[in-house]
Amino acid sequence: VAQNWLQSERHGRRSLYLISEQGLRHTAHASQRIYVGPPQEWNGEWTLVALPLYAAVANWPLPAYLALLGVVIAVGIVVCGRAAADLGVHDHPGIVWDEIAGLLVALCGAPAGWGWAIAGFGLFRLFDIWKPWPIHWVDRQVGGGLGIVVDDLLAGAYAAMVLQGAAWWLGA
């Protein structure tokens, strides 16, 4: 609020925070600087940039991890939608925020260790490329930032189910 990214409105004892026009401009600027790729196609390997973030939060209590994930998703819907609109391409390969959110979903509650993190990355990439139902449908039918992010969240959920099943089966 102090830097004018958010507007606050008081409703009795509660405050409602909305992103301000300046916050939208900063978000658009960030989407152009960070999430717009070079002219050649990027591939999913850029999802690896999420692993250091995951390493930093992997040992957080589950409610804190889920709160961070909620913020990443909410910001991602805005940033990805804005970047796609600026580029004129739905889910441009240079937009990687959605991949980061999807990988964080895949690794939610994963057993500790880099082996599990790498397995989660591989499973996430598998489901993100394969796009089994309903991921393919969502990717084609849901537009804007929501559509860009939700297909990766579903791929992450599929990966998480397989990863959790493997952890249970292996007794990890």
Side-chain angles (χ1 to χ4, degrees), residues 36-74:
V36 178
Q40 70 271 16
E41 295 288 314
W42 285 17
N43 61 29
E45 293 170 2
W46 284 97
T47 308
L48 288 171
V49 301
L51 286 178
L53 172 62
Y54 171 71
V57 301
N59 293 321
W60 284 14
L62 186 59
Y65 187 98
L66 292 175
L68 172 70
L69 183 58
V71 169
V72 168
I73 292 167

Side-chain angles (χ1 to χ4, degrees), residues 4 6 11 20 27 40 48 51 55-56 58 64 81 88 91 94 101-102 107 110 133 153-154 157-158 168:
N4 295 325
L6 298 174
H11 297 280
S20 68
T27 302
Q40 70 271 16
L48 288 171
L51 286 178
D91 208 358
L107 297 175
W133 187 89
L153 298 178
L154 289 171
Y158 276 41
W168 174 80

Side-chain angles (χ1 to χ4, degrees), residues 51-99:
L51 286 178
L53 172 62
Y54 171 71
V57 301
N59 293 321
W60 284 14
L62 186 59
Y65 187 98
L66 292 175
L68 172 70
L69 183 58
V71 169
V72 168
I73 292 167
V75 170
I77 290 169
V78 173
V79 169
C80 293
R82 185 64 180 246
D86 289 348
L87 291 168
V89 178
H90 176 76
D91 208 358
H92 185 277
I95 302 171
V96 296
W97 189 284
D98 56 325
E99 307 281 334

